[in-house]
Amino acid sequence: MVAIVTGASRGIGKACAVRLAKDGYTVVINYSHNDAKAQETLDEIKAFGGDGMIYKADMSNSEEVNKMVREVSKTYGSIDVLVNNAGIVRDQLLLTLTKENLDQCFELNVKGYFYASQACALKMFRKKKGVIINMSSVSGSFSLPGQSVYGATKGAVNTMTKTLAKELAPYGIRVNAVAPGFIETEMLEAIPEEKKEEYLKVIPQHKLGTTEDIANVVSFLASDNSKYMTGQILTIDGGLSLWF
Ligand code: NAP
């Protein structure tokens, strides 16, 4: 069984790659810049006897995505699970928003998910079985000031998840999404400490989530334990969204 995890050189993607390898998948660790970090993810997997490879490809570039999927399929014979995780945040208020920020976010967070889903679904379709898991965010439903673009991309991911679930169900392909709240990764480094303290007061569990909290749910969604679930968005946020 083969799983591709995009953006797996660190953060949530890394935890998902390690967890899926523990579940027995051969894991393709995709990334776009940091070769050393991607290798660290693979080394961690190899250390417990897991299997996989690193693959550098910019997920916002359709040609690179198609090439990766083609080569992975040729190397391993199938693609069973795709975790669309690579994503960026470029928080800006509307009046200071640049076209570059807007384009970068939509190219990766939305179009990148479509490129990979289409390329992998074409392979899964032949087997009449497959799982696509999209990394959304609570910001897809309840956005904060400065997050209009990021929130819009994640809202698009939610809609895409539901629609693709309907389209692909007849071919045995399930599509679900995970919507994390605040998870301790480098992505949160952009948030000032005092803001984080404010958020911690509001989160009912009064703590940030760990990357493993997300990987555990991704593992469940990848497995047959969730075989009657498709088109769902699972929120993992310590209760944050209960306030919205
Ligand atoms: P992160 O720590 O910034 O890691 C991002 C990963 O994506 C890295 O492995 C990075 O690797 C890779 N990446 C960036 N651009 C890429 C591209 N063009 N092509 C391929 N890979 C690329 O982010 P994270 O916090 O783990 O977030 C992962 C996902 O969860 C994102 O979709 C994010 O929106 C979502 N999320 C995160 C949180 C949170 O609190 N952390 C909350 C809600 C949702 P390279 O630098 O090597 O390319």
Side-chain angles (χ1 to χ4, degrees), residues 13-74:
K14 177 178 182 174
C16 293
V18 170
R19 177 56 199 260
L20 291 174
K22 284 186 180 154
D23 291 344
Y25 290 91
T26 297
V27 179
V28 178
I29 298 151
N30 159 264
Y31 67 106
S32 67
H33 286 101
N34 202 327
D35 305 303
K37 283 275 177 196
Q39 188 58 45
E40 270 177 33
T41 306
L42 183 60
D43 290 346
E44 200 172 316
I45 286 172
K46 293 252 162 102
F48 58 76
D51 193 16
M53 69 189 278
I54 62 170
Y55 199 106
K56 189 174 191 164
D58 176 355
M59 295 306 296
S60 63
N61 180 318
S62 62
E63 281 167 24
E64 290 187 31
V65 174
N66 288 333
K67 184 164 176 266
M68 175 179 79
V69 171
R70 221 173 28 245
E71 288 182 4
V72 168
S73 173
K74 203 169 160 194

Side-chain angles (χ1 to χ4, degrees), residues 24-197:
Y25 290 91
T26 297
V27 179
V28 178
I29 298 151
N30 159 264
Y31 67 106
S32 67
H33 286 101
N34 202 327
D35 305 303
K37 283 275 177 196
Q39 188 58 45
E40 270 177 33
T41 306
L42 183 60
D43 290 346
E44 200 172 316
I45 286 172
K46 293 252 162 102
F48 58 76
D51 193 16
M53 69 189 278
I54 62 170
Y55 199 106
K56 189 174 191 164
D58 176 355
M59 295 306 296
S60 63
N61 180 318
S62 62
E63 281 167 24
E64 290 187 31
V65 174
N66 288 333
K67 184 164 176 266
M68 175 179 79
V69 171
R70 221 173 28 245
E71 288 182 4
V72 168
S73 173
K74 203 169 160 194
T75 306
Y76 296 121
S78 73
I79 295 166
D80 303 283
V81 174
L82 166 68
V83 183
N84 273 319
N85 167 77
I88 49 170
V89 67
R90 295 281 183 273
D91 288 356
Q92 286 287 337
L93 295 168
L94 179 68
L95 300 185
T96 54
L97 178 68
T98 64
K99 182 178 181 304
E100 196 190 10
N101 286 343
L102 190 60
D103 288 345
Q104 283 175 343
C105 270
F106 273 89
E107 289 296 334
L108 180 62
N109 298 6
V110 181
K111 288 167 86 173
Y113 283 28
F114 274 104
Y115 300 146
S117 298
Q118 186 183 47
C120 288
L122 282 165
K123 305 289 174 197
M124 293 168 176
F125 167 79
R126 288 196 205 135
K127 244 181 137 176
K128 295 280 180 286
K129 194 167 174 52
V131 175
I132 297 173
I133 301 161
N134 294 324
M135 204 52 67
S136 180
S137 166
V138 288
S139 303
S141 314
F142 321 99
S143 205
L144 296 165
Q147 291 216 314
S148 58
V149 176
Y150 180 72
T153 65
K154 296 302 186 180
V157 168
N158 292 347
T159 313
M160 167 200 182
T161 300
K162 293 177 190 174
T163 311
L164 295 190
K166 280 186 192 155
E167 285 184 21
L168 297 173
Y171 309 110
I173 303 169
R174 297 188 295 114
V175 188
N176 289 293
V178 176
F182 291 104
I183 308 300
E184 248 173 309
T185 71
E186 284 180 31
M187 193 174 262
L188 287 203
E189 284 171 9
I191 303 176
E193 272 314 310
E194 57 281 10
K195 263 272 169 236
K196 265 191 226 166
E197 290 301 322

